[in-house]
Amino acid sequence: MEQRRRRATRGRVAALATVGLMLAAGFVTGAAPVQAADTNLIVNGGFEDGLASWFVNNGNSSDGAQLSATSDAYSGANAALVTSRTTTGSGPMQDLSGKVQAGQAYTLTARIKYENASGPATKQFFATMHYGGGTYTNLLSVTATKGQWAQFNGTFTIPAGQAVSTARLFFETPWTATPSTDPDLHLMDFKLDDVSVVGAAPPAPASKTIEVVGKLPGEHNPLIGHKFGADGFGFVHDGRVYMYMTNDTQGYAPNPTTGVSPGINYGDINQITVISSADLVNWTDHGEIQVAGPNGVAPFTANSWAPGITKKVVNGQEKFFLYYANGGGSSNVITGASPLGPWTSERTSTLINGSTPGAETVAWKFDPAPFVDDDGQPYLYFGGGPASTSMPPAERFNNPKNIRAIELDDTMVATQGTAAVVDAPVAFEAGHVFKREGRYYFSYSSHFGGNDFGGSQQPLPGYPGGGQIGYLISDNPMSWPKETYAGVLFPNQSQFFGAGTGGNNHQSVFEFEGKYYFTYHAPTLNKRINGNTTQGYRSPHIQELAFNPDGTIQQVVGTYAGVNQVRDFDPYRVFEAETFGWSKGVATTKVDGSSAQFGGAAPNLVVRDIDNGDWTALSSVNFGDKGARSVTAKVRALSAGGQIQVRLDTATGPVVGTVAVDATVGQWAEVTAELDGVSGVHDVYFTYTGPAGVDLFEIDNWSFQAATLELPVTVTASARCVGGKVYVAVQARNDHDAPVGISLETPYGERSFAAVAPGANAYQSFNTRAVSVPAGSATVRVTGAVGGQDVTTVRTVHQPAGTCGG
């Protein structure tokens, strides 16, 4: 570590020279003027908020110090005091990652002071940038006089070729390998105040919001139009289908002018996207699981591709196991308490790797697909990539033997036994197993040939072509000889979706309410954004799977139409606003708090980036014969004047209600609007209007309130005297257009009328047998039919007090 530090320090000196700073007497004059567009990139540079945004440099394991606030400030109330330094580089640091740009010039100013009684009369200090690893660059230097505040004041330019994904500024004394031999000279305490780095802030990150309509109204593929997702794995639990996908959106960064993103970078993907649906058309976005990377559930992994999930009862507790590829070299698993988490890692190292028995020669130990058999025994299928060079060329092409099957133990997070070869013809990747009628089906994606597979070879008759989905059928989940090959399940998707949509594929099969469904991906949304050009960003699709009488699978045809909606959408509940049949121009984001629909353990998302003219829609919403009387939205207004229009059947259909988003800006609130003429089954569009050029509001959830069918009736009650006794008279007039039954109920008796004609009255005078009665009430119950539906309407009418005699 010290040698690495020493090499880095020599680099610092050279970098300081190349910057061309003219340092004289610790002071630089003639600093570049600050332009109007320049910004101070330092947060809390005067330490008036204590130590917020500051920490001790930890670039090397030996770095260490104590950082505290002190009232001995150059200006204001506070400065930073650094004590107990262990290395010369142990000083105050602030992270500027994402704030500075290569090739740009910046002006740096700061005040620094040291007071150690045994220290030298003067001491040089550096302002230094750590760009990650061993790359350190001294930016400015100042020679301070003991007991006096010295000033850094100068400009520096970040080299055009410098990587700045990590950029951390800190303050230090000149490097020496053994500072502890003379701590008064090298490790003195010092104070820092009034730090600023002024320059042009980098442009805002490109918006990932997809402004085009990528899933066209009426079509059911791709499943979502507001983000991407690949390698979809369908999983059924508690009446819903969950889809787990590689988060292709993570690297999507369209150019603000052209709308075209750079090509997908798989190496950056370390999140898994989750969506779910109860009807296969309206999909709820559950956001991303941060699986890998430094902040991931399993930080010992770098990537999360091609997920697969299953559930099993372990030690009496139902658990969910999410498997994923850690790049091409290994696979891993995390554990959830539900299909939506929360997620934990029961492992500290990868599940599948070079030490997995039977997998030593597999090139790509990825694409893990779990399967739990009816007897509870779990299995995992994984592997792919180039065939072993020890095989003859023709065999490398036709039978590369690059996929494996292995048993999992009862914990689901460890393997047992030795992996068996899956001899799938022309195999490349994406193995998956499902079971139907006692037989096991293994599907996979085929390779494209080339040197990795024996060079120029021809597939045997009936074997798959490039990028197709083939399948095998076996009576044993661990036995997959080439003789079990059954044919091509799905041709390359470019056959159905045209130019720009080819490449490899990844599939799964799930059963839902008695039918089987096939999932796959295609860059169809990417194509609709950019025309016939795509950059590799893929989207999930589903088609229904049909079988021949002998159990073989009918070849699937990819369509934009997709599958039928299995049930109408129920609006009479609280449901997440990020549930879309179709959408235009919106995005989603996670927020604090729990999901109103899915509970406290589930992440809560909201719809964001809502501009004038955007919309979201639901497919086949069933309002019933009664219909809906109102709709309520939980919103956070971001500007004044926003409205939500509720329309039926199209984005330009009739407006049946308008929600004024008149809540306090920045505060979450519920807003409601009455609806008119909303009954039966309709597609429902929420169209958003308001001032142009600003985000209007965010939406958390929706709920519709059902209308109440009532029979029209006019009721009265009075008290009168007859023969010195009080009688209570109750009358009900039928205002309906058909006969109704009417029942009159009082404390003094009841009377029913079987069929009261339209406009006719039901009347009864009830003898109380008393000379005086207090005020009370009478109940009128009316029964009849409205629109063919039986309805009962109950009315309560006030009965006044009555007294007879003197």
Side-chain angles (χ1 to χ4, degrees), residues 220 279 281-282 565 568-569 581-582 617-621 682-684:
H220 299 161
D279 59 35
V281 174
N282 296 294
Q565 187 166 333
D568 291 333
F569 189 87
W582 308 281
L618 296 166
S619 174
S620 296
V621 180
H682 297 275
D683 296 337
V684 175

Side-chain angles (χ1 to χ4, degrees), residues 285-319:
D285 184 357
H286 298 290
E288 280 67 47
I289 306 169
Q290 185 63 58
V291 176
N295 300 315
V297 179
F300 53 90
T301 58
N303 295 115
S304 57
W305 306 341
I309 190 170
T310 191
K311 63 182 176 182
K312 194 173 188 295
V313 175
V314 179
N315 295 325
Q317 180 182 359
E318 185 178 57
K319 292 183 176 182

Side-chain angles (χ1 to χ4, degrees), residues 64-88:
Q66 294 294 320
L67 195 62
S68 60
T70 175
S71 59
D72 181 17
Y74 177 80
S75 66
N78 291 319
L81 171 65
V82 58
T83 59
S84 304
R85 297 194 301 141
T86 59
T87 65
T88 57

Side-chain angles (χ1 to χ4, degrees), residues 681-763:
V681 179
H682 297 275
D683 296 337
V684 175
Y685 286 75
F686 302 103
T687 58
Y688 307 120
T689 65
V694 297
D695 286 350
L696 301 177
F697 39 77
E698 295 174 341
I699 312 174
D700 190 353
N701 53 62
W702 303 102
S703 63
F704 285 85
Q705 294 74 46
T708 302
L709 288 181
E710 294 186 342
L711 293 163
V713 61
T714 301
V715 297
T716 61
S718 61
R720 51 189 298 192
C721 293
V722 177
K725 304 295 184 183
V726 178
Y727 283 73
V728 173
V730 182
Q731 179 176 291
R733 186 183 69 224
N734 177 16
D735 297 324
H736 190 37
D737 57 5
V740 299
I742 297 178
S743 174
L744 310 177
E745 303 170 5
T746 74
Y748 314 106
E750 299 179 4
R751 174 75 186 276
S752 295
F753 302 83
V756 180
N761 292 313
Y763 174 84

Side-chain angles (χ1 to χ4, degrees), residues 55 58-59 93-100 129-133 135-136 158 162-169:
F55 53 97
N58 56 4
M93 172 177 270
Q94 185 161 139
D95 192 352
L96 298 182
S97 302
K99 293 185 175 183
V100 294
M129 194 80 83
H130 182 198
Y131 293 110
T135 305
Y136 294 80
I158 299 178
Q162 177 63 59
V164 292
S165 58
T166 297
R168 307 202 303 175
L169 172 70

Side-chain angles (χ1 to χ4, degrees), residues 152-234:
F152 289 96
N153 188 6
T155 61
F156 66 91
T157 299
I158 299 178
Q162 177 63 59
V164 292
S165 58
T166 297
R168 307 202 303 175
L169 172 70
F170 68 100
F171 295 83
E172 61 174 344
T173 51
W175 179 85
T176 182
T178 56
S180 60
T181 60
D182 193 349
D184 290 327
L185 178 62
H186 301 297
L187 298 177
M188 68 276 292
D189 301 344
F190 64 85
K191 298 169 184 175
L192 183 70
D193 202 4
D194 293 350
V195 184
S196 71
V197 173
V198 175
S207 171
K208 295 178 183 288
T209 301
I210 296 169
E211 299 293 343
V212 305
V213 182
K215 179 184 181 183
L216 301 184
E219 295 180 347
H220 299 161
N221 278 330
L223 304 185
I224 49 177
H226 69 291
K227 62 169 56 174
F228 304 99
D231 309 320
F233 192 102

